Amino acid sequence: MRAAGILLPVASLPGKYGIGTMGREALQFIDFLQKSGQRFWQILPLGPTGYGDSPYQSVSAFAGNPYLIDLDALRAEGFLKKEEYSGLRRPAGKVDYPLQQDEKMKVLRKAASRFFAAPPAGYTAFCGREKWLEGYAAYMTVRGRMGGLALAQWPALLRDFDDTCATLQKDAAAREEMAFWRFVQYIFYRQWETVKSYANQKGIFIIGDLPIYISPDSADLWQYPALFQLDAKGALAQTAGCPPDYFSPDGQFWGNPLYDWDAHRREDYAWWKRRMRHALRLYDRVRIDHFRGFAGYWAIPAGQETARGGHWETGPGIALFESLRRELGELPIIAEDLGDITPDVRQLLKESGFPGMKVLQFAFGSDETNEYLPHRHIEKCVVYPGTHDNTTLKNWIQTEDPAALRRAKDYFGLRHKKELPGALLRAALSSVADDCVIPIADWLGLGLEGRVNVPNTACDNWTFQIKEAQLTASLASRIAKETKRYGRRNSAAGGTAER
C-alpha cells in the first residue's frame, strides 16, 4: 500500500506558550493530516532535550520531555489556574527553550502540589509499571542538587547508582523531589497516550525516532555503566560520531558514550529489548537513527579534537535484531541508512528486512548511478525530499553546489532552478517507494527559517515552529490532491500501520 506522511516535530507545532505541546494544537494537526490524505505523522525523539536543546542528547532513553506538556489541559483538570501561567504566552514562530526551562518547570511544580493532594489511582499503577522511572527520578534529583552539573562532573561518591539511591530514600526532601519527577512523567505519558489514540482513531499512525546513542549526561549511563565503553575511572574511553561526509568535512563529533556490545550480548540485549518495547508503546513505527552504527560505528578515542581521529569498530550486526524479534515479534522499523554506507551496512539492511531511506537532496551530487535518484528507488524504502538534518527545498536551491543543481534541472527537464522544489516534491510522491514523508516546511514553501537542525552545530537548532494560520484548508486540499494524484491518499478511518 502506497502512503504518505508529514514530518513535523511536536515542539514545532503551533503553541501559545513558547513551544508546541500535546494539547489542542496536536489534535488539530492530526485533523489536518486526515484532511490532507496522509497516513503518517513523523516526529522527532520525545525525550527531554539536552545539550544544545537537542532531542538526541536526552537525559533518559525512556522519559518524556516535560516541555511538551500542555498546561491548558492541566488547568482543565484543576491542577493549575490560568493566571499562574498566562505570563508564559508568546507568539508562535520560534521555540523558546529558556522560557520552558526557567518558567514552565516552575508552573509544573505548582500543578504537582495540587496533584499530590489527591493523586489518582492511575498514578500508583504507572509508577509500578515503569521500571525505568525510579532511576530517572533519582538522577534528576541528584542533578538538581548538583546545580545542573552533568554526570561526568559529579563527585565519585555520587557515581555509584545503588548507594546514592539508598541515601536518597532516607532524605525526606529528596523523596519529595523524586515524586515531582514521577508526576511529570505520569502527566507526559497520559497526554501522549491521548494524542496517539486520537491519531490512530483518525487513521493516522505515528513514526517515532529512536536515537541510536544515549547522552553522556543521562540516567541510563549512571544506572548501567557496565553496558558502555568507560575507562577505569568511569570516564568515556571513546565517543561516538561519524567520519567526514556531506554535512561536515571534519566529520561529526557527537560525544555520546559507545556501547560495550560484548556486555550487551552477554545479557542477550536485555536493555535494548526494554528500550524497543518502550518505543513500540509510544509509536506505530520506529525510525532508528544512524542505523549504520549497528554494522560498524565510528569510535573517537578520548582526547581527540575532531572526528577525523576516529576509526571503525564492528557493531552487533543482525544478532541484535534477531534477539529483539524473538521476544517482540516483527519490528516496524525504518532504518536511517544514510552517511558512509559500506557493504556491511547494506548486508545488515538486507538481512534485517527493514526499509531504508532515500533522500532526494542527496541525489544530484554524482552521476546517474546515484542511489538516491528516483529511477534507482525500490518499493521497500521511505523517500524524503529532505530530513530534519537537511535544509528546506527553497533554501537548498539557494545553497547547493551549482553543478548538483544543473544535474537536477537536467534530470527533470527544467529551465530554472526555482522550479526544482516542486519537481522534488512530485518526484518524492511519484517514487515507487512504498512510503513518502515530506517536511511541513517544504509543503509551506519555507526557506532557511523552516530548517530544524544543522548537523554538528549546537546553536539555534530545534527552534522551528509553525503558526496555526499556516495550516489552512487550502493547503490541506492541495496536499490531498497531490497525494491522491500519485496513489498515496489515505482514505481509511483506521487500520494498522504494519505492512
Side-chain angles (χ1 to χ4, degrees), residues 32-33 115-116 140 147 149 175 185 191 247 250 262 310 328 371 382 394 401 416 431-432 454 459:
F32 176 86
L33 289 169
F115 175 89
F116 282 116
M140 295 303 294
L149 288 177
R175 291 197 302 271
Q185 292 305 308
Q191 290 193 359
F247 291 117
D250 283 328
D262 286 337
L328 304 176
E371 66 183 283
V382 185
K394 182 177 180 180
D401 175 60
H416 304 290
S431 166
V432 298
V454 180
C459 296

Side-chain angles (χ1 to χ4, degrees), residues 303-349:
Q304 295 291 315
E305 293 184 0
T306 73
R308 283 185 176 275
H311 59 275
W312 289 109
E313 294 194 358
T314 303
I318 195 62
L320 168 63
F321 299 105
E322 289 175 340
S323 180
L324 292 176
R325 279 192 170 113
R326 282 195 296 270
E327 184 157 327
L328 304 176
E330 279 306 305
L331 303 170
I333 284 174
I334 298 169
E336 191 236 22
D337 56 337
L338 307 176
D340 187 1
I341 303 305
T342 48
D344 59 334
V345 183
R346 298 183 193 281
Q347 181 62 28
L348 177 59
L349 188 66

Side-chain angles (χ1 to χ4, degrees), residues 36 425 442-445 473-483:
S36 302
L425 287 181
D442 288 330
W443 278 121
L444 291 170
S474 61
L475 177 62
S477 178
R478 178 167 72 88
I479 295 173
K481 181 179 179 181
E482 293 294 311
T483 304

Side-chain angles (χ1 to χ4, degrees), residues 241-398:
C242 68
D245 63 6
Y246 173 91
F247 291 117
S248 174
D250 283 328
Q252 298 179 38
F253 196 112
W254 299 333
N256 303 82
L258 292 170
Y259 298 105
D260 182 335
W261 286 115
D262 286 337
H264 283 271
R265 192 176 298 111
R266 286 192 294 271
E267 63 166 32
D268 195 21
Y269 305 102
W271 184 85
W272 271 97
K273 289 175 181 176
R274 293 194 296 273
R275 191 181 186 199
M276 185 57 67
R277 183 182 293 107
H278 188 78
L280 293 175
R281 284 175 47 207
L282 293 175
Y283 315 121
D284 298 296
R285 297 178 73 181
V286 179
R287 171 194 177 272
I288 296 187
D289 179 62
H290 197 61
F291 181 81
R292 71 106 48 245
F294 295 110
Y297 55 92
W298 194 247
I300 307 167
Q304 295 291 315
E305 293 184 0
T306 73
R308 283 185 176 275
H311 59 275
W312 289 109
E313 294 194 358
T314 303
I318 195 62
L320 168 63
F321 299 105
E322 289 175 340
S323 180
L324 292 176
R325 279 192 170 113
R326 282 195 296 270
E327 184 157 327
L328 304 176
E330 279 306 305
L331 303 170
I333 284 174
I334 298 169
E336 191 236 22
D337 56 337
L338 307 176
D340 187 1
I341 303 305
T342 48
D344 59 334
V345 183
R346 298 183 193 281
Q347 181 62 28
L348 177 59
L349 188 66
K350 180 179 179 181
E351 292 175 345
S352 72
F354 303 144
M357 293 171 55
K358 303 296 182 186
V359 179
L360 294 181
Q361 287 190 30
F362 297 156
F364 305 100
S366 58
D367 61 19
E368 67 278 359
T369 63
N370 189 308
E371 66 183 283
Y372 297 112
L373 285 166
H375 72 268
R376 298 291 307 279
H377 294 181
I378 60 175
E379 291 183 0
K380 197 166 189 176
C381 72
V382 185
V383 61
Y384 299 77
T387 73
H388 67 276
D389 281 332
N390 293 98
T391 192
T392 65
L393 292 178
K394 182 177 180 180
N395 186 245
W396 178 73
I397 65 171
Q398 298 167 348

